[in-house]
């Protein structure tokens, strides 16, 4: 049985056209380069991912993974007798996805680098999961097609999110955004053109304080080809004076006075001849802020004295009086208890000392009676 790849090559060319095939896919599916097994998988991947115009094939890591799948995995895991059924299923999948069209809200044929990387990583992760499972035969075919079906939905979600949130996010001005065209995998800089005028901002600042004019918008960091921020003072006779120019998006002037009130203009330059954004500022200088002096804590103002005297004259509530009396009784009772315990300890020591002194005093009195010297006793006898 002949399992040539010519029918699939014709089918792919009828869907995309020879010149529309991505470079990576054209080389990957070349008849002279690969065998019939890999041609089937290449067509399956092209069909299942057609809603994104084969964007993931613009990632070289996906091309290398599919080459490794054909060379290292397919020979021992797919029987030749199942090729025909697989071809029929792939052909049907390609025809089904052929009817999908571009949509301004969900897909316009371009993605950014971050979206492409997320879709490629998700596909490679699931492809590795299948090869690590060592599945074979019909089960391998089912796993592969189911994985491609889920990956198609996942990538469509990524693309729709990019289309809604990251594709030309500027509301005004001109943003230069690097995009990848999925049809031919070319990476080019796209100009998201909106109105140059980003409106006027009213700024109020008290006299003798700092004036800060901020010209940065949230998409400036993501844009390419931007140069310098230029701030101009606009006068009433339609003339203007350059105040500052540089990479800083803010203009700061300290200790402003009435002469600083008026109109200002900020212009962000680009590599093109036209500016990226233009923002106007109308500055109003308010009277100097008056700070209230706080009195010293040791000085009593008349109001505070009146309040203090009124608080002193107010009668105490019964609850507070009862709490005060109970607290006083508790304090005095504690003092009396401490005094009594101290006195008892003192008296006990005195009584013990008295008893000891009495007992030892009697014993020492008997023992210490005076004795008459023998010489004196003899003399008394002779007399």
């Amino acid at each position: 049985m002949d399992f040539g790849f010519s029918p699939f090559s014709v089918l792919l060319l009828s869907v995309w056209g020879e010149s529309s095939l991505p470079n990576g896919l054209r080389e990957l599916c070349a008849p002279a380069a690969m065998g019939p097994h890999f041609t089937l998988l290449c067509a399956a991947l092209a069909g299942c991912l057609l809603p994104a115009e084969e964007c993931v094939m613009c990632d070289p890591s996906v091309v290398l993974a599919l080459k490794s799948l054909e060379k290292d995995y397919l020979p021992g895991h797919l029987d030749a007798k199942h090729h025909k059924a697989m071809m029929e299923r792939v052909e049907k999948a390609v025809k089904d996805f052929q009817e999908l069209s571009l949509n301004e809200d969900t897909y316009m044929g371009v993605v950014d680098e971050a979206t492409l990387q997320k879709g490629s990583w998700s596909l490679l992760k699931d492809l590795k999961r299948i090869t690590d499972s060592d599945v074979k035969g019909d089960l391998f075919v089912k796993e592969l097609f189911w994985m491609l079906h889920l990956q198609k939905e996942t990538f469509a979600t990524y693309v729709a999110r990019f289309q809604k949130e990251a594709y030309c996010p500027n509301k005004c001005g001109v943003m230069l955004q690097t995009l990848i065209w999925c049809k031919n995998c070319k990476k080019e800089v796209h100009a998201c053109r909106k109105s140059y005028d980003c409106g006027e901002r009213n700024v109020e600042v008290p006299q003798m304080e700092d004036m800060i004019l901020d010209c940065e918008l949230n998409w400036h960091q993501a844009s390419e080809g931007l140069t310098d921020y230029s701030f101009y003072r606009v006068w009433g006779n339609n003339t203007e004076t350059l105040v500052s120019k540089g990479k800083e998006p803010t203009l700061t002037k300290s200790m402003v006075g009435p002469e600083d009130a008026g109109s200002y203009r900020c212009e962000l330059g680009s590599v093109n001849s036209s500016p990226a954004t233009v923002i106007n500022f109308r500055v109003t200088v308010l009277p100097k802020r008056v700070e209230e002096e706080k009195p010293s804590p040791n000085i009593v103002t008349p109001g505070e004295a009146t309040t203090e005297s009124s608080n002193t004259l107010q009668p105490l509530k019964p609850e507070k009086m009862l709490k005060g009396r109970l607290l006083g009784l508790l304090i005095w009772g504690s003092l009396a208890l401490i005094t009594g315990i101290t006195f008892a300890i003192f008296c006990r020591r005195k009584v013990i000392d008295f008893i000891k002194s009495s007992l030892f005093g009697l014993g020492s009195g008997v023992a210490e009676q005076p004795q008459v010297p023998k010489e004196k006793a003899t003399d008394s006898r002779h007399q």
Side-chain angles (χ1 to χ4, degrees):
M1 184 179 294
D2 184 11
F3 295 102
F5 41 81
S6 297
F8 264 90
S9 300
V10 174
L11 181 59
L12 289 176
L13 292 175
S14 66
V15 174
W16 283 355
E18 183 177 3
S19 61
S20 300
L21 284 174
N23 295 332
L25 186 60
R26 189 185 305 118
E27 296 174 359
L28 189 64
C29 300
M34 296 296 169
H37 297 290
F38 191 64
T39 304
L40 295 177
L41 288 177
C42 181
L45 185 62
C48 289
L49 296 179
L50 191 60
E53 291 287 337
E54 190 53 22
C55 265
V56 292
M57 292 302 299
C58 296
D59 191 339
S61 61
V62 175
V63 178
L64 292 177
L66 292 178
K67 288 183 179 180
S68 175
L69 181 68
E70 187 270 341
K71 180 179 178 181
D72 303 328
Y73 192 83
L74 283 185
H77 296 82
L78 185 63
D79 196 333
K81 65 181 180 180
H82 298 297
H83 290 179
K84 184 176 180 180
M86 184 176 179
M87 287 178 58
E88 293 176 354
R89 293 182 59 188
V90 172
E91 183 176 357
K92 183 179 183 302
V94 173
K95 289 182 179 180
D96 289 342
F97 291 125
Q98 183 180 358
E99 299 176 358
L100 295 176
S101 58
L102 300 178
N103 188 293
E104 184 178 357
D105 297 327
T106 58
Y107 177 65
M108 295 184 64
V110 295
V111 295
D112 62 351
E113 187 71 27
T115 303
L116 177 61
Q117 291 298 326
K118 285 195 295 185
S120 301
W121 180 85
S122 181
L123 175 63
L124 293 174
K125 181 184 68 173
D126 274 3
L127 188 60
K128 186 177 184 302
R129 176 183 58 81
I130 292 177
T131 56
D132 289 346
S133 65
D134 201 30
V135 64
K136 301 179 181 181
D138 291 339
L139 185 58
F140 162 70
V141 176
K142 293 179 181 179
E143 286 282 342
L144 178 64
F145 274 89
W146 179 245
M147 182 271 290
L148 293 176
H149 170 72
L150 295 179
Q151 285 301 315
K152 177 259 298 183
E153 295 181 348
T154 301
F155 193 72
T157 302
Y158 292 155
V159 173
R161 184 180 303 169
F162 158 76
Q163 189 72 29
K164 181 179 180 181
E165 300 175 1
Y167 175 70
C168 292
N170 57 314
K171 304 298 182 183
C172 63
V174 179
M175 176 182 179
L176 301 179
Q177 186 177 24
T178 300
L179 300 176
I180 300 172
W181 269 251
C182 297
K183 192 173 183 179
N184 53 20
C185 294
K186 288 185 178 180
K187 183 183 294 186
E188 297 178 355
V189 176
H190 174 64
C192 304
R193 299 185 182 277
K194 307 291 177 64
S195 173
Y196 293 111
D197 188 3
C198 292
E200 184 179 70
R201 299 178 181 180
N202 294 320
V203 179
E204 295 182 349
V205 55
Q207 188 176 350
M208 302 303 294
E209 295 189 14
D210 296 344
M211 176 187 71
I212 300 176
L213 305 182
D214 191 354
C215 191
E216 185 176 20
L217 300 178
N218 55 3
W219 54 268
H220 283 177
Q221 295 294 332
S223 179
E224 298 184 18
L226 302 181
T227 55
D228 296 326
Y229 291 91
S230 300
F231 288 88
Y232 298 89
R233 176 69 188 271
V234 181
W235 307 102
N237 55 358
N238 292 329
T239 60
E240 57 186 19
T241 304
L242 179 64
V243 179
S244 70
K245 182 177 182 179
K247 300 298 181 182
E248 289 296 325
T250 58
L251 171 65
T252 303
K253 189 178 188 306
S254 59
M255 301 183 67
V256 298
E259 67 279 3
D260 296 311
S263 299
Y264 294 80
R265 183 173 66 88
C266 170
E267 181 179 294
L268 174 59
S270 67
V271 293
N272 299 328
S273 57
S274 58
T277 54
V278 176
I279 301 177
N280 296 296
F281 298 91
R282 183 170 296 277
V283 178
T284 302
V285 178
L286 302 176
K288 184 178 180 181
R289 197 192 305 269
V290 179
E291 296 182 359
E292 297 181 359
E293 296 184 359
K294 296 182 179 180
S296 174
N298 298 327
I299 300 176
V300 180
T301 60
E304 292 178 350
T306 305
T307 304
E308 185 177 356
S309 61
S310 62
N311 291 337
T312 305
L313 296 177
Q314 288 181 356
L316 297 176
K317 295 182 179 181
E319 296 82 359
K320 293 185 178 180
M321 294 178 63
L322 181 60
K323 289 182 180 179
R325 291 179 180 179
L326 291 177
L327 182 60
L329 291 175
L330 180 61
I331 294 174
W332 284 109
S334 300
L335 292 175
L337 180 61
I338 294 173
T339 304
I341 293 174
T342 305
F343 181 74
I345 293 173
F346 177 77
C347 292
R348 180 173 177 275
R349 289 182 178 178
K350 288 293 184 181
V351 171
I352 292 174
D353 294 341
F354 177 76
I355 294 173
K356 286 182 179 181
S357 62
S358 299
L359 292 176
F360 286 104
L362 291 175
S364 62
V366 174
E368 294 177 359
Q369 286 183 358
Q371 295 181 359
V372 179
K374 291 183 178 182
E375 295 180 356
K376 289 183 179 184
T378 306
D379 293 339
S380 63
R381 286 177 184 176
H382 286 291
Q383 291 178 357

